[in-house]
Amino acid sequence: MSIDIVFTSFPSLTTNRLRLRQIRVTDVEAVFTEFSDEEAMRFYGHEPHRSINDSQEWIKRIQAGYDRRESIHWGITLHDEDHVIGSCSFHRFDSGFHCAETGYELNRAFWRLGIMFEAMSAILTYGFTELGLHRVEAIIDIANESSKNLLLKLGFSYEGNLRQRYFFQGRFEDEYYFGLLKDEWKGSV
């Protein structure tokens, strides 16, 4: 598949339980519910949203990133509903679209149900088979055991940390790097 097609028509994906689709302006309330939850955003690296306007701005930023061919940000919904319960993405593509970073977040009401594993498996399969990615990277807070366990379950390898690389909430934080290569991906979905 040509990368041009991906950025011409947003790629919707489906799994056994989920539908991954483009996030719309009409999803602002669902986005705010997720991004304003202090516990859900504890390891996100950005302050929680304090108003609907924060969520509107976030949606505008991800839509602009897609328009500039910089990111693909999927909203996660259950098959039989159109309510966004989380999101996952590819962003920070290299110039040849061989490497991308991934990120994800999920409404706390849906934690520990295997939803993010299913969603991430779908976008990784899409990234390696349709986009032609060779490598996917993830950067996490190592204290986030759930995120670390998810990445390891998906087949990512811990590759190291960059000490005090990120300034957040008045202090410098380490960034922990994980990577997954195309030939390591087993296609969990």
Side-chain angles (χ1 to χ4, degrees):
M1 172 181 287
S2 163
I3 202 71
D4 294 326
I5 293 171
V6 172
F7 288 105
T8 302
S9 177
F10 192 91
S12 294
L13 308 174
T14 57
T15 69
N16 290 335
R17 297 183 296 167
L18 309 174
R19 190 166 62 95
L20 283 65
R21 61 158 174 83
Q22 191 167 24
I23 295 175
R24 304 181 290 251
V25 174
T26 55
D27 296 318
V28 69
E29 301 255 345
V31 168
F32 180 69
T33 298
E34 179 185 341
F35 280 79
S36 63
D37 182 335
E38 302 257 348
E39 177 63 20
M41 301 310 293
R42 190 169 98 189
F43 299 112
Y44 193 68
H46 298 284
E47 292 292 335
H49 292 186
R50 302 289 180 213
S51 69
I52 287 285
N53 188 55
D54 291 343
S55 298
Q56 289 169 331
E57 291 302 315
W58 182 81
I59 292 171
K60 286 179 190 174
R61 281 194 306 277
I62 66 166
Q63 288 175 335
Y66 178 77
D67 292 342
R68 290 189 307 265
R69 302 167 50 116
E70 296 172 350
S71 63
I72 305 170
H73 215 108
W74 286 273
I76 302 168
T77 69
L78 299 175
H79 248 292
D80 54 349
E81 298 178 21
D82 197 38
H83 183 78
V84 170
I85 60 171
S87 68
C88 51
S89 67
F90 288 131
H91 50 276
R92 294 190 182 144
F93 290 97
D94 69 352
S95 61
F97 291 93
H98 302 293
C99 179
E101 187 178 320
T102 191
Y104 41 85
E105 59 279 329
L106 186 65
N107 183 308
R108 191 165 26 137
F110 297 91
W111 287 3
R112 293 173 193 69
L113 300 174
I115 287 172
M116 194 53 72
F117 179 79
E118 192 171 326
M120 286 298 297
S121 293
I123 73 163
L124 289 168
T125 297
Y126 180 79
F128 289 130
T129 61
E130 300 297 325
L131 292 179
L133 292 174
H134 175 72
R135 176 181 169 83
V136 176
E137 300 171 341
I139 304 167
I140 67 166
D141 182 327
I142 205 69
N144 188 343
E145 286 292 323
S146 295
S147 187
K148 180 174 74 171
N149 291 337
L150 171 66
L151 293 173
L152 293 173
K153 186 175 178 182
L154 288 166
F156 281 76
S157 297
Y158 171 69
E159 296 181 337
N161 73 304
L162 298 179
R163 298 173 301 131
Q164 298 184 13
R165 185 165 190 283
Y166 186 74
F167 189 76
F168 181 60
Q169 294 183 333
R171 65 182 188 268
F172 287 96
E173 301 281 345
D174 292 354
E175 288 187 332
Y176 293 83
Y177 284 73
F178 288 76
L180 179 65
L181 302 178
K182 181 178 183 173
D183 63 0
E184 297 169 336
W185 175 240
K186 296 172 183 43
S188 298
V189 170

